[in-house]
Amino acid sequence: MANILVVDDEPNIREVVGLYLRREGHTVLEASDGEAALRLARQQPPDLVVLDLMLPKVTGLEVCRRLQSDRRTPVIMLTAKSEENDRIIGLGVGADDYVVKPFSPRELVARVEAVLRRVQPQPDAPPPDERPIELGALRVDPRTRDVQVAGKSISLTAREFDLLYFLARHRERVFTRDQLMELVWGYTFSADTSTVTVHIRRLREKIEDDPTAPRYLQTVWGVGYKLSAGEQ
């Protein structure tokens, strides 16, 4: 079971989230502000952090940034509906996912379990095909997790790489947002799929010459997304 740090300045949220996580056998540490969160993370490095964005003393975004600078730490952000820009920034500094308040504690726990499954080694899993994939000027190397466009390296977060590599392995195949949530995020339950849209947008900003007219990461209207070879 995992060691999970829950960071929120609202005591009732910490209590409810902690209760549900402990029911699943996890060890839960709690912090009410950013400074306390960073202090606890240094003392007892967590396996995952549930992190509110709006925190006193040190903001949730800054906490996430500092956590990722020390070691790769899975983070699920808690956000308000009005904090879309902060969600985008949070994903950019290494957060794995976000949940919008008010949220279902059961869904949050399911997302926690899915993230933990993804980051923990699976001894029975077959060895992946680690050959680089090339689509036009786009090159994706799963061994080094390096992405290049026309020979230039592109910096991606862990989840951005996972999404791009999955689509590259299934080039020209169209996936709905629900399918991507299940196959990339590991969510086998009904969940808010807007995080897929945010990641697609960020990937386009990084790999496309013109994100408004993408060559690689294409939308199939009314269905979902696919990765193409980038040919005009």
Side-chain angles (χ1 to χ4, degrees):
M1 294 293 101
N3 179 33
I4 300 176
L5 174 59
V6 177
V7 189
D8 199 296
D9 60 345
E10 298 182 44
N12 60 321
I13 290 181
R14 296 198 307 274
E15 180 181 0
V16 170
V17 172
L19 174 64
Y20 274 77
L21 290 172
R22 290 185 180 97
R23 283 180 179 176
E24 298 301 316
H26 300 299
T27 299
V28 178
L29 301 174
E30 298 180 14
S32 60
D33 61 67
E35 284 185 358
L38 291 169
R39 184 170 60 252
L40 280 173
R42 286 192 295 268
Q43 294 170 351
Q44 301 183 54
D47 298 306
L48 183 142
V49 180
V50 177
L51 178 65
D52 186 28
L53 282 186
M54 302 298 291
L55 291 173
K57 298 184 179 179
V58 179
T59 68
L61 286 175
E62 182 61 24
V63 170
C64 184
R65 187 178 291 109
R66 294 189 195 179
L67 288 173
Q68 304 309 332
S69 67
D70 292 338
R71 59 189 286 269
R72 170 70 181 120
T73 304
V75 173
I76 295 179
M77 298 182 297
L78 304 179
T79 78
K81 289 184 178 180
S82 61
E83 297 167 354
E84 181 178 2
N85 288 336
D86 286 340
R87 290 198 292 271
I88 294 172
I89 296 171
L91 294 172
V93 297
D96 291 78
D97 199 4
Y98 62 82
V99 176
V100 178
K101 295 179 179 181
F103 57 85
S104 162
R106 293 182 184 274
E107 178 177 340
L108 175 59
V109 170
R111 291 187 179 227
V112 166
E113 300 290 357
V115 171
L116 289 172
R117 283 195 302 270
R118 186 180 67 83
V119 300
Q120 292 172 347
Q122 303 296 320
D124 298 328
D129 184 351
E130 294 191 339
R131 291 174 295 180
I133 299 173
E134 295 188 5
L135 297 170
L138 176 65
R139 186 176 191 272
V140 182
D141 189 337
R143 184 178 58 84
T144 61
R145 296 182 70 87
D146 179 56
V147 173
Q148 295 183 4
V149 177
K152 179 182 178 181
S153 291
I154 307 298
S155 177
L156 300 182
T157 66
R159 186 51 61 87
E160 288 169 355
F161 180 89
D162 292 342
L163 175 58
L164 181 63
Y165 179 52
F166 176 83
L167 291 171
R169 287 173 50 217
H170 302 87
R171 67 195 74 180
E172 302 297 343
R173 180 176 169 183
V174 182
F175 292 91
T176 67
R177 294 195 302 178
D178 285 329
Q179 288 174 323
L180 291 172
M181 287 294 283
E182 178 177 352
L183 296 169
V184 179
W185 274 257
Y187 296 164
T188 56
F189 53 90
S190 177
D192 177 12
T193 60
S194 60
T195 187
V196 176
T197 307
V198 173
H199 278 80
I200 292 289
R201 183 192 314 170
R202 286 188 53 82
L203 279 172
R204 283 176 173 159
E205 291 172 352
K206 293 182 177 184
I207 70 173
E208 302 283 359
D209 292 333
D210 181 1
T212 64
R215 298 173 59 192
Y216 299 105
L217 199 46
Q218 298 181 3
T219 298
V220 179
W221 296 107
V223 184
Y225 305 102
K226 69 175 183 178
L227 196 69
S228 295
E231 297 176 356
Q232 293 285 15

